[in-house]
Amino acid sequence: MRSLIVILLFTLLNSCGSQSQNKIISDIKKFQSDLNAEYKNPKESPLRGDNLTNFKQHPFFPINLKYRVTAKFIKTENAVPFELPTSSGKTKSYREYGKAEFMLDGKELSLTLYQSLSLMTDPKYKDFLFLPFRDATNEIETYGGGKYMDLKIPQGNQIVLDFNKSYQPYCAYNAYDYNCPIVPVENILPVRIEAGVKYEDIYHH
């Protein structure tokens, strides 16, 4: 009887884990589908001319939950606003909100999360965090300027970083109409992040 209970509990735990994993993968696929739809929509897409006409879908790395990490979140106290340089030579106003510390490929890594001072005034984005980063795939499979990730302010001292939902900045596809924040030095990772959107250098001229 006892062994039967153990087997039932093990089966139940496996079932719950599979359901949770399936939902995570489903959410990533929705992110991919939504991003493709955005780039096909002339009202939303950064693409122009033939690039828009010829666009079918983004190339993505295979979904890999290794790149979905639960990080320790450390909120920055008394953060001072600063000007973050952008691709056009101008700046945008941000403040550091906190740091995410995590392990990947046996390395202790840290990324800084930011808040846009302009978006903070919009109720829709009041809990929005901006994560720009670079890694060892840049200029190979991904855009040389780095990638971005959108996050929300966590409730506790942990935050999930799902690199499967990382994407290239608009200026990677249209440097004429868009002005994108440059990845700060502290957010350059010494590892390959084989997740999220790949980049085809047909757009950047």
Side-chain angles (χ1 to χ4, degrees):
M1 182 68 177
R2 188 173 179 180
S3 60
L4 178 60
I5 292 172
V6 170
I7 291 170
L8 288 172
L9 284 172
F10 181 76
T11 303
L12 180 61
L13 287 171
N14 276 349
S15 174
C16 291
S18 296
Q19 289 176 11
S20 175
Q21 189 173 90
N22 288 340
K23 184 177 187 311
I24 291 169
I25 291 172
S26 177
D27 287 345
I28 295 169
K29 287 181 177 179
K30 184 179 184 302
F31 162 81
Q32 294 179 346
S33 176
D34 289 348
L35 193 67
N36 284 332
E38 175 189 341
Y39 274 63
K40 288 178 183 178
N41 185 342
K43 294 181 180 179
E44 297 181 340
S45 180
L47 300 175
R48 301 289 182 265
D50 289 344
N51 285 338
L52 176 60
T53 303
N54 297 331
F55 180 81
K56 298 294 186 289
Q57 64 180 13
H58 289 285
F60 293 94
F61 282 102
I63 294 173
N64 188 342
L65 298 190
K66 163 188 170 179
Y67 295 108
R68 185 181 188 273
V69 299
T70 299
K72 178 182 179 181
F73 176 73
I74 305 167
K75 190 174 185 301
T76 302
E77 300 298 335
N78 304 314
V80 177
F82 70 100
E83 295 299 309
L84 187 58
T86 68
S87 55
S88 71
K90 299 179 181 179
T91 62
K92 291 186 177 182
S93 299
Y94 284 85
R95 74 174 181 182
E96 181 179 314
Y97 191 83
K99 294 188 182 295
E101 297 179 348
F102 58 99
M103 292 286 295
L104 187 64
D105 290 339
K107 294 183 172 63
E108 294 182 2
L109 303 172
S110 176
L111 288 169
T112 304
L113 313 176
Y114 305 95
Q115 265 190 322
S116 164
L117 297 192
S118 59
L119 287 182
M120 285 170 57
T121 61
D122 185 336
K124 187 167 63 173
Y125 295 105
K126 65 180 181 180
D127 62 348
F128 178 86
L129 293 178
F130 174 55
L131 174 54
F133 70 94
R134 290 181 62 188
D135 68 90
T137 68
N138 296 144
E139 298 183 358
I140 306 172
E141 297 99 332
T142 59
Y143 176 55
K147 297 175 76 176
Y148 294 167
M149 198 188 307
D150 299 332
L151 300 164
K152 291 190 174 181
I153 295 173
Q155 298 300 312
N157 60 358
Q158 290 186 326
I159 188 168
V160 173
L161 307 180
D162 193 341
F163 292 98
N164 293 284
K165 295 182 179 181
S166 58
Y167 60 93
Q168 327 288 341
Y170 274 0
C171 55
Y173 305 91
N174 181 349
Y176 300 102
D177 296 331
Y178 293 94
N179 180 30
C180 306
I182 294 172
V183 176
V185 173
E186 66 240 42
N187 277 7
I188 299 177
L189 298 174
V191 295
R192 287 177 56 83
I193 303 292
E194 298 174 1
V197 187
K198 291 184 178 181
Y199 184 64
E200 297 171 319
D201 201 24
I202 58 175
Y203 302 108
H204 204 250
H205 307 294

